Amino acid sequence: MQYVSTRGDKNARAFTYISFTAFAPDGGLWMPDEVPQVTPEKLHTWLGTDYAGLAFEIFHLFAPEIPRRDLWTLCRDAYQPKEFSFRRNPFDAEAVTPVTWLRDGVALLELSNGPTLAFDDLSLRFASLYLQRVLPEDKRPRILLGATSGDMGASAAHHFANIPGVDLVLVSPKDRMSQCQARILYNETAPNIHHLVGEGTFDDCQDLVNRVLADEEFCRENRIGAINSTLWMRIVSHLVYYFWSYLQAVDRVGEEVVYAVPAGNFGNAYAGWLAKRMGLPIMRLIVATNENDTFDRFVRTGVYRPRPSSETIQTTSPSMDISRAANVERFLYSFLKGDSRRVRELMVLLEDTGEFSLSSEEFARLRRCGLSSGSSDHPNRLEIIEEMRVNHHVFVDPHTADALYSGIILHPVGVKTLCLETVQPVKFPRMVRAATGHNPEWPFGYKEPPEVVTPPASHALSEEWLRGAVSEIGL
């Protein structure tokens, strides 16, 4: 298995090379040179496999150069159920990502039971162990750089804290996350964790970080790697829970299901699309957006027109306040059947004009590809959170409410639909209280972070500022 660029660079690389590399030399994202297929017969053999065992099988498809014994030990230790113990049902001691059924064939896929109560723990725990145990020292980055809207940064800080020889630099937007998200993020103060706060939106922070990561010479000189949603290793980590939840949900292998996914930076959603391409029987993948509905408008019109960062709406599901999702380019590459020339053409149009349009033939193919989308707003989120509390006795966070809203409305009657729960409701107490009149409780056994949080001083976003901060950390 080799990896190539979405934009056509022909220099194929191995998994270990791309592990913490943000971009290919031509600015594209890394993709496997072929998509491994999982037959119904293979799915049958995976029935009854535990989460760690399934992670081993799927990672082996994409990283065959890792010795099997090393990969098995890595997956076993990364996905111990005790590391994901903050589940709704504390007596379900072996479930890493439990499936909780609600009504009419709709279920929650719980992905946020790890130490920072967000789905990012599933991929970043694996990434931290992979860096320490498997990645050769001469390929290890000295600095990991990423932008965060809250949850990813908190998870990265937790899992990479105190790793010798590695500094983590996280750029976050000022006043663009909940108080609880900030408490978990900024109270991680290990000496190798560095928080930088920028004055702008998450899109502004991500654009700035990407410009720095795209500078090959600067990154090589300072041994900088990426820690963000575009890492292929994270996409493969997401794949695991699609396959695992499918095998838990169906009555027979071959039965089709539907997934509803919060859009965010599109890494989670792209993994679902990839699982479908690999052969997982997904009838429909529903991508849920909030008021920042760039992808929903794209699916409905064939025109991809991200809002300028100054027009990105600050909503009550802040981790989805993203106008230009980082992994959409991967979806284009897959949807256009690996046509890197066309992908490059569309990306140039996006950079030059702020938008691109599919041809009529491409748009017709998009409408038939098994992917759909929906959008919801603040009143819709309040409605869903209240309904979940009243009718099902569970709290959900606003991002999961977005997924549930689109999933309930758009799923075909009689087809099992799994809505991805990517963060726990306790991180958004104000929203939950407004909808239900109750405060969500911290999970049983969870050590509540300090009430007082003091974010670092904010700075105007500029390449000079970020390059200077990163260079100083690397000294």
Side-chain angles (χ1 to χ4, degrees), residues 33 51 71 74 116 122 125 168 189 198 209 232 273 361 373 378 391 441 457 459 467:
D33 58 2
Y51 197 93
L71 181 60
L74 178 61
T116 68
L122 289 159
R125 176 173 170 77
L168 181 70
T189 56
V209 166
W232 184 253
W273 173 256
E361 181 184 344
S373 66
H378 180 70
N391 294 330
E441 296 181 354
H459 295 264
R467 287 173 183 270

Side-chain angles (χ1 to χ4, degrees), residues 144-444:
L144 292 172
L145 174 63
T148 179
S149 58
D151 293 321
M152 186 286 290
S155 181
H158 177 89
H159 294 292
F160 286 86
N162 298 310
I163 294 180
V166 176
D167 283 282
L168 181 70
V169 181
L170 299 166
V171 184
S172 57
K174 180 183 179 183
D175 299 331
R176 290 273 180 162
M177 64 185 77
S178 75
Q179 181 69 11
C180 185
Q181 284 179 303
R183 288 168 62 188
I184 296 176
L185 173 63
Y186 296 127
N187 276 305
E188 181 55 72
T189 56
N192 69 323
I193 306 299
H194 309 274
H195 297 290
L196 304 177
V197 178
E199 295 171 357
T201 66
F202 172 75
D203 283 328
D204 293 324
C205 295
Q206 181 166 255
D207 288 346
L208 175 60
V209 166
N210 286 346
R211 289 200 300 273
V212 172
L213 289 172
D215 186 336
E216 279 191 274
E217 183 178 352
F218 180 76
C219 290
R220 184 170 55 251
E221 288 176 356
N222 292 277
R223 294 178 58 195
I224 298 171
I227 189 74
N228 56 26
S229 67
T230 64
L231 294 182
W232 184 253
M233 178 166 42
R234 295 196 65 193
I235 301 295
V236 180
S237 296
H238 301 332
L239 272 176
V240 179
Y241 50 72
Y242 280 98
F243 279 89
W244 190 88
S245 61
Y246 173 83
L247 294 171
Q248 306 307 306
V250 299
D251 297 319
R252 57 176 179 81
V253 171
E255 177 185 348
E256 290 190 311
V257 300
V258 171
Y259 284 93
V261 193
N265 235 338
F266 210 77
N268 214 347
Y270 177 72
W273 173 256
L274 179 60
K276 179 177 172 67
R277 289 192 66 214
M278 291 173 66
L280 195 65
I282 298 176
M283 175 186 288
R284 184 179 299 170
L285 183 71
I286 301 170
V287 180
T289 67
N290 61 11
E291 294 90 330
N292 297 291
D293 57 351
T294 299
F295 192 80
D296 182 46
R297 287 184 284 113
F298 171 61
V299 172
R300 295 176 188 276
T301 67
V303 179
Y304 189 73
R305 184 184 295 125
R307 287 185 174 92
S309 62
S310 60
E311 297 177 16
T312 299
I313 302 168
Q314 188 168 4
T315 75
T316 48
S317 50
S319 295
M320 293 165 63
D321 291 350
I322 300 171
S323 291
R324 181 175 173 177
N327 281 287
V328 166
E329 184 171 338
R330 281 197 168 110
F331 171 70
L332 285 174
Y333 181 83
S334 299
F335 159 69
L336 295 170
K337 300 180 179 180
D339 187 347
S340 56
R341 181 200 60 78
R342 179 60 171 155
V343 172
R344 184 171 60 252
E345 179 182 312
L346 294 177
M347 290 299 103
V348 169
L349 277 172
L350 184 61
E351 293 298 331
D352 292 346
T353 68
E355 64 179 80
F356 65 76
S357 299
L358 298 179
S359 69
S360 57
E361 181 184 344
E362 290 166 346
F363 181 53
R365 194 191 312 161
L366 174 64
R367 298 296 292 174
R368 298 192 301 265
C369 75
L371 181 143
S372 61
S373 66
S375 64
S376 48
D377 57 20
H378 180 70
N380 300 143
R381 289 188 283 277
L382 290 173
E383 175 188 355
I384 290 293
I385 293 171
E386 180 185 27
E387 180 191 347
M388 290 299 110
R389 174 61 179 169
V390 171
N391 294 330
H392 305 289
H393 311 291
V394 298
F395 289 119
V396 295
D397 77 283
H399 309 82
T400 304
D402 285 321
L404 282 163
Y405 184 83
S406 294
I408 290 170
I409 288 177
L410 296 175
H411 87 105
V413 175
V415 180
K416 292 172 180 173
T417 298
L418 286 78
C419 299
L420 274 60
E421 182 180 40
T422 55
V423 62
Q424 292 220 9
V426 72
K427 285 192 168 185
F428 299 90
R430 182 177 300 178
M431 183 69 173
V432 173
R433 186 168 59 249
T436 68
H438 299 276
N439 284 318
E441 296 181 354
W442 292 90
F444 178 77

